[in-house]
Amino acid sequence: MARIGVFVCHCGENISATVDCGKVAETIGNLKHVAYSTEYKYMCSDPGQTLIKDAIKEHNLTGVVVSACSPRMHEPTFRKACAEGGLNPFLCEMANLREHCSWVHEKNELTTEKAIDIVRTQVEKVKLNSALQPIKVPVTKTAMVIGGGIAGIQSALDIANTGHKVIMIERSPSIGGHMSQLSETFPTLDCSQCILTPRMVEVAQHPNITLYTYAEVESVEGFIGNFKVKVRKKAKSLDEKACTGCGLCTTKCPQKKIPNEFEQGMGMRPAIYVPFPQAVPNRPVIDRENCTYYIKGKCKICEIVCPTKAIRFDQPDEILELEIGAIVVATGFDIKHADFFPEYGHGRYKDIIDGLQFERLASASGPTAGVIKRPSDGEIPKNIVFIACAGSRDPAKGIAYCSKICCMYTAKHAMLYKHKVHEGKAHVFYMDIRSGGKNYDEFVRRAIEEDHVNYIRGRVSTVFERDGKLIVKGVDTLLGAQQVEIVADMVVLATAGVASSGAEDLAQKLHVSYDSHKFFAEAHPKLKPVETNTAGIFLAGACQNPKDIPDAVSQASGAAVKVAALFSQSELTREPLVAIVNRTSPPTYSTCVGCFMCQSVCPYQAIEREEFKARDGKVVKTVAKINEGLCQGCGTCVALCRSKSIDLLGYSNTQVYAEVVALLNEY
Amino acid sequence: MSDFEPKIVAFVCNWCTYAGADLTGTSRIKYASNVKIIRFPCTGRIDFMLLLKAFSNGADGIIVSGCHPNDCHYTSGNFHAKRRWIMFKELMDFMGIDMSRITFSWVSAAEGARWAEVVNTTVTRIRELGPYVSYKELVNKSVEEEVKNG
Ligand SMILES: Cc1cc2nc3c(=O)[nH]c(=O)nc-3n(C[C@H](O)[C@H](O)[C@H](O)COP(=O)(O)OP(=O)(O)OC[C@H]3O[C@@H](n4cnc5c(N)ncnc54)[C@H](O)[C@@H]3O)c2cc1C
Ligand code: SF4
Ligand code: SF4
Ligand code: FES
């Protein structure tokens, strides 16, 4: 026989001002199976909780209903109190008298009646609750970092330095990300390679880090502490152990006209190549799409010249199966390219370039050895125009957000140009200058005041060519929207930062959310900025939204701490509110008919197959079985199952039916 | 008819609409007290047989509400609910159930005011429709007993 205790809280006056708590407690006390019913001013206070604990023992309660605020607020508090009072915590339910009753209704009879109904409903439910034990799952203490830009590098190093193993997956042939392409970095103008390269080397040499480049995530299964990740290691056509990195092959490859990705297409590379001189690992890969041997079936010059016989034309892709406890996504961002800006002539005129191309021109190791030469004829531009917000903050272009980094790198570009071309003129068209950040505004002011960059507040309407010059037409809104026209030798567009290619695909493999721009979504915009909505998967860097290096690095360290905290326990406990498929005695085994419709709707792939065998080993029935480690308790399978074979603990069919009946009927 | 107080049940998901209704409370927005909420983890858990169960137990109106598309805590529960709802709706309509007694809506955890609005418009509509007595006539006795007993 159920013996339910009901505890009605006044919440100071928050509940009692509109609900007659005395009447609620009294009415409920007269119900069948209610062994004890009382009211108190503050149920969540220490004396309030003690009241519950004492009553559990004194009245030998088999269930508790705390009638107070929202369970989303205090369910953990009261479940804990019950456990301390010797009652299984899952035998405690809350009736929401505050948010759903006293705060939203006037003081009258009906409100008190509603309060009674709410409590009654929970009394009926709790009678059907069962004592549950928290689920314990082990933790594999190896982290995976996806993406080897500065954010991924920082996260990997931080995790590795706490003593845990890290596997880094980078899809390009080298780690380094966009930062390896940058010339100098705002706001200090220190050389990007100089501060990045040591970190890249540290990753390669760290005893706790295993690095896989030219590799991508193929599939992800499992759950926090227990992910199973398949990684495709694309064939590099190279025996990495045999290769010494001498580079002879790259100089002899006859195929030399492939646009160099690292130089943003402003240089050429061979089919067998190392993406840039400081690449980590410093070993070549064959780009099979452009290799003469793979296209025409003959060449093999690299194989012939290689002194250590390291080339492997028949190397297959390799699939690695890895056991991972936590994942950090650090796949970075991209920028919008040419075809996006027809009005600016981008893609039509050679001397209109984007920000990354400018970085390469300004870089000492770039295609022009750091001399600002325009692509068309190699001339040094005398007049240069920078257009900020190219695509960003432009809902008409589908990008309403601010890309955040462009104001700063545009100031940097104008400054670098002036440092290199003293007599040249630099103009910047901008909408607003957004330079929040330590020493950021000072940096922009320096560009304007010391380097005399001409800042024009207004948008550019078009750019076109006339007599070999680029004509930039725009308005100066500070001069009363006056038309301005600048005759330029070169134009640099600060194109919008966008999600990196393949982000959506990866997010789907990981089962994490992404926003309408395909950036990875954080679990909470303020309080959980590095978590995703999937436990055990964290975010670092520009894969979440465009951000600069200091922000990317801070977030990366934040993600590393979350991983370290997770790895500090050897077991995780979680709520046991999961689905179960019923079991009956042979020969039925279960009412499940094995249609496996449930498998197709489960968002977490939590539904497995269980086979029942006869004595002779023959399979007599295959039925569904829930993996309680994977199940998150959404209940979608429960509502779907046509033979009513699945139920959800905590929200069982009998429980919700009892709630409906209680709520609608007189007592 | 004017003093008719309809009985309305709301089946809501924990993560969006339940939380949204909590916000209505914290924002002290008042609404009609006729609606009583039953909490589910997700709209994906809502078995539409429950709607019949509610009608047969005397509900005059029903609200089903969860996260907006793409916002489901479990990523896709609400899509499955929606799909099932579309089929179930046809069936119920065919059976002669008065579909104007059911409100299907999305209310997020941030939409406290919207929850009050959903409740109030539903209550007003059901008040105008009057008690759902025709349901009883619709379902023959034996079927009703069966539904009532689960
Ligand atoms: C023109 C320009 C100038 C800039 N100048 C500055 C500056 O001066 N100062 C400053 O602070 N910031 C600057 N920034 C911003 C800076 O580039 C970023 O903050 C930084 O690169 C972000 O690092 P990240 O690791 O998050 O992303 P990324 O650098 O984009 O790195 C992501 C890495 O992940 C890899 N990857 C992507 N998808 C996958 C996948 N599916 N699987 C495996 N690997 C994957 C990529 O290959 C890449 O290596 C500039 C940006 C631009 C565009
Ligand atoms: S939907 Fe039901 S009957 Fe079908 S496999 Fe799943 S549990 Fe079994
Ligand atoms: S309750 Fe949800 S998560 Fe659990 S097995 Fe069913 S569909 Fe999957
Ligand atoms: S959690 Fe709200 S609809 Fe799925």
Side-chain angles (χ1 to χ4, degrees), chain A residues 348-575:
Chain A
R348 219 171 334 138
Y349 309 124
K350 278 193 173 156
D351 295 329
I352 302 183
I353 63 172
D354 62 39
L356 279 174
Q357 289 175 313
F358 189 86
E359 292 288 341
R360 296 314 302 148
L361 289 183
S363 169
S365 63
T368 56
V371 182
I372 310 291
K373 292 181 183 169
R374 60 185 205 173
S376 62
D377 56 5
E379 287 289 309
I380 294 175
K382 298 280 177 311
N383 254 297
I384 186 165
V385 172
F386 295 91
I387 304 177
C389 293
S392 306
R393 303 174 62 197
D394 188 352
K397 285 257 182 218
I399 300 179
Y401 59 85
C402 161
S403 292
K404 205 170 171 193
I405 50 177
C406 325
C407 282
M408 288 304 294
Y409 77 62
T410 296
K412 173 182 79 173
H413 289 172
M415 217 182 224
L416 290 177
Y417 169 77
K418 289 290 291 183
H419 293 177
K420 289 171 189 267
V421 189
H422 302 295
E423 72 289 1
K425 284 208 164 60
H427 314 270
V428 174
F429 280 94
Y430 70 100
M431 283 166 72
D432 305 286
I433 301 174
R434 300 194 164 168
S435 50
K438 194 168 176 177
N439 295 325
Y440 280 17
D441 206 51
E442 295 91 319
F443 183 81
V444 177
R445 293 246 73 85
R446 234 164 66 213
I448 300 171
E449 286 159 15
E450 289 173 26
D451 293 313
H452 306 292
V453 176
N454 176 26
Y455 266 70
I456 306 161
R457 186 172 191 278
R459 287 220 130 174
V460 171
S461 53
T462 115
V463 182
F464 56 92
E465 209 174 47
R466 189 201 293 147
D467 308 331
K469 296 274 185 192
L470 292 167
I471 313 298
V472 182
K473 277 193 158 187
V475 288
D476 188 336
T477 55
L478 297 182
L479 292 178
Q482 191 180 306
Q483 293 278 345
V484 282
E485 191 177 294
I486 293 175
V487 181
D489 303 310
M490 185 157 114
V491 173
V492 183
L493 303 179
T495 59
V498 294
S500 82
S501 63
E504 188 179 15
D505 187 43
L506 181 63
Q508 285 170 357
K509 283 179 186 157
L510 292 165
H511 303 292
V512 305
S513 313
Y514 49 95
D515 64 23
S516 54
H517 301 288
K518 316 236 189 313
F519 284 113
F520 285 82
E522 60 285 337
H524 188 280
K526 277 163 260 170
L527 301 178
K528 291 185 174 177
V530 307
E531 289 96 328
T532 65
N533 60 353
T534 300
I537 304 187
F538 306 99
L539 302 178
C543 63
Q544 183 189 25
N545 60 290
K547 50 170 74 86
D548 58 23
I549 298 164
D551 280 1
V553 169
S554 325
Q555 195 188 16
S557 290
V561 170
K562 297 283 173 189
V563 173
L566 176 63
F567 288 178
S568 68
Q569 315 145 266
S570 49
E571 256 187 354
L572 297 172
T573 47
R574 40 177 305 244
E575 284 214 336

Side-chain angles (χ1 to χ4, degrees), chain A residues 249 272 299-307 309-313:
Chain A
C249 52
I272 183 162
C299 176
K300 292 204 174 181
I301 291 181
C302 48
E303 187 180 67
I304 298 161
V305 300
C306 176
K309 299 281 160 269
I311 306 292
R312 297 283 179 277
F313 284 105

Side-chain angles (χ1 to χ4, degrees), chain A residues 70-72 75 96 99-100 103-105 114 117 601 603-604 633-636 639 644 651 653 657 664-665, chain B residues 7 14 18 21-22 25 28-33 35-37 39 41 44-45 47 50 53-54 57 74 80 84:
Chain A
S70 172
R72 294 178 54 88
E75 198 174 66
N96 189 341
E99 283 83 345
H100 289 189
W103 274 350
V104 288
H105 305 314
K114 174 169 171 177
D117 286 343
V601 299
Y604 303 96
C634 69
T636 304
K644 294 258 168 291
Y651 296 93
N653 284 324
Y657 274 38
L664 290 161
N665 290 285
Chain B
K7 282 188 189 172
N14 176 50
Y18 194 94
D22 277 357
R28 310 293 202 282
I29 301 169
K30 303 276 185 248
Y31 59 80
S33 59
V35 171
K36 284 148 210 169
I37 292 175
R39 177 163 74 132
R45 167 69 185 88
D47 175 353
L50 275 170
K53 182 86 176 169
N57 277 278
Y74 307 97
H80 294 297
R84 230 180 294 131

Side-chain angles (χ1 to χ4, degrees), chain A residues 3 32 185 204 211 218 227 254 316 324 361 369 431 470 548-549 551 572 579 610:
Chain A
R3 299 179 55 81
K32 211 166 127 191
T185 52
L211 172 63
E218 186 88 355
F227 294 105
I324 300 293
L361 289 183
M431 283 166 72
L470 292 167
D548 58 23
I549 298 164
D551 280 1
L572 297 172
E610 184 173 26

